[in-house]
Amino acid sequence: MFDSAGRRVDRILYSSEYQAMLGKGYRSGVVWRAFEEDSLIPTYLLMYTIAFYDPGICCPYTVSLGTAFALAKYGSGELQAQFLPALLRKDDSVWQGATWMTEIDGGSDLGAGVKTVARRRGDHWLLAGDKYFASNVSAELAVVAARPEGAPAGVRGLALFLVPRYRQDGSLNRTVRRLKDKIATRSVPTGEIELRDSEGYLVGSPESGIYLILEILNLSRVANSVVSVALAQRAMADALAYAERRTAFGKLVVDHALLRHQFERRFQSLEWAFALAWESVRLLDQVRAERPPYSDRYHLFRLVAHLAKYWTAELAVDTAKWAMEVHGGLGVLGEFGAERWLREAMILAIWEGTSHRQILDGLEVMERKQAHKLLFAHLATITPAQALEGLESALEQLLHLPRDQREIEAEALFRRLAIVSGEELSRRESAEDRDGQW
Ligand SMILES: Cc1cc2nc3c(=O)[nH]c(=O)nc-3n(C[C@H](O)[C@H](O)[C@H](O)COP(=O)(O)OP(=O)(O)OC[C@H]3O[C@@H](n4cnc5c(N)ncnc54)[C@H](O)[C@@H]3O)c2cc1C
């Protein structure tokens, strides 16, 4: 926390192997490629590959992308010139970003939970407040949600600020109260941040803050979906490798009918989840330049992103639990690694908005923007519309129920919509595969 002269420095020490691994992702273009190649696909492909080995390290990449994205899309020319080049460097001097919204009172209801206040001071703002979950805590730049003094209550009064690690005079602009002791994602340090007259620069207008926050969250939710699929795939690969060498009752465990059937069924679910996650990537790539008021394509994307975040994370947890069971007693021993996937998966289901949040936000975009109709029209290009009529009318009925009843009945239908969408999309992928388009 302090240097040899007694000055507060709050430096996080990493092992050199970690820094080499982290740096490799940045050098490979997990952030700069999105801008140079004008596409998010290479970024998510890199994350998919990396997450097969370590889901947690995709967090720094995702929040760095979110910071650069918000700055490039909504920041003033002056702010961009000052900060963007450092985030897009291709060598180890690259700056990292972070996205800090959540406070002690809660992350789901940001409108009520964010108590950090911003006061204007000349060409910049001074922020005061505490962020309770701040991942990539030593990032050089963070985008931070705060309420400008006098702004209305609720989410509409939130604005987004760029907060550098150091003030203009070189002093520390924010301090780390402590680091979190987490069950997983240990490859990203998450801490509590204290903002005390911290210099911040407004990104976009105060009125557009909530849209920016949601756009950043969308980038993370899509990353979460890709990472969840990679984790489920890895857990299954490990389980298969084990079942192919462990014997019981005279034959390999994998050759017993019950287990073989489970493998087959789960491989299929994985394929569907994969298709859903990648559809959220493709749609995001198509709509990423949009600003409010958004198009129907954007609302379609939002629904697919909620379905993908929800379903892939739930699948990752369920698959990781099952993969542990396949390892039998060895599954619970830290030294063999199977239990780690379950710990990692549990975080994927909670951050970037819990599964509850995805269902409720998914219902909202269906109700307000009729996004389910857009989704069915989208799927009709793969499957005759009649095949999905039953599901569509069940959803219509759900949306007309009184609020509490709708929430009580929502999850089963939301899950079905996610699975059916994944199944249909994977059918399209298989066809494209045969035609050599994928
Ligand atoms: C390892 C880790 C790192 C993180 N890093 C960051 C970060 O860098 N930046 C950041 O901003 N945040 C970060 N978070 C915070 C994360 O986004 C929040 O934990 C998450 O959004 C949930 O908020 P909460 O924990 O305050 O739960 P709460 O909002 O308090 O919710 C508690 C429970 O109530 C449920 N709930 C809430 N509202 C409803 C409702 N209307 N209906 C039904 N159920 C409801 C929730 O789903 C949840 O199950 C991180 C979290 C973790 C675990």
Side-chain angles (χ1 to χ4, degrees), residues 63 99-103 105-109 133-135 182 185 190 347 350-354 356-357 360 407:
V63 291
T99 61
W100 299 336
M101 320 292 169
T102 311
E103 300 184 9
D105 288 333
S108 306
D109 183 4
F133 277 105
S135 290
K182 302 175 286 180
T185 63
T190 301
I347 292 191
I350 291 175
W351 67 8
E352 318 306 356
T354 59
H356 311 143
R357 207 53 261 157
L360 295 173
E407 290 190 7

Side-chain angles (χ1 to χ4, degrees), residues 129-142:
D130 300 322
K131 293 291 168 186
Y132 192 68
F133 277 105
S135 290
N136 215 19
V137 73
S138 57
E140 284 83 0
L141 271 182

Side-chain angles (χ1 to χ4, degrees), residues 259-271:
L259 206 64
R260 177 163 287 276
H261 173 69
Q262 288 184 347
F263 267 108
E264 285 164 1
R265 208 172 40 80
R266 283 176 180 278
F267 276 131
Q268 185 149 68
S269 297
L270 182 62
E271 264 180 32

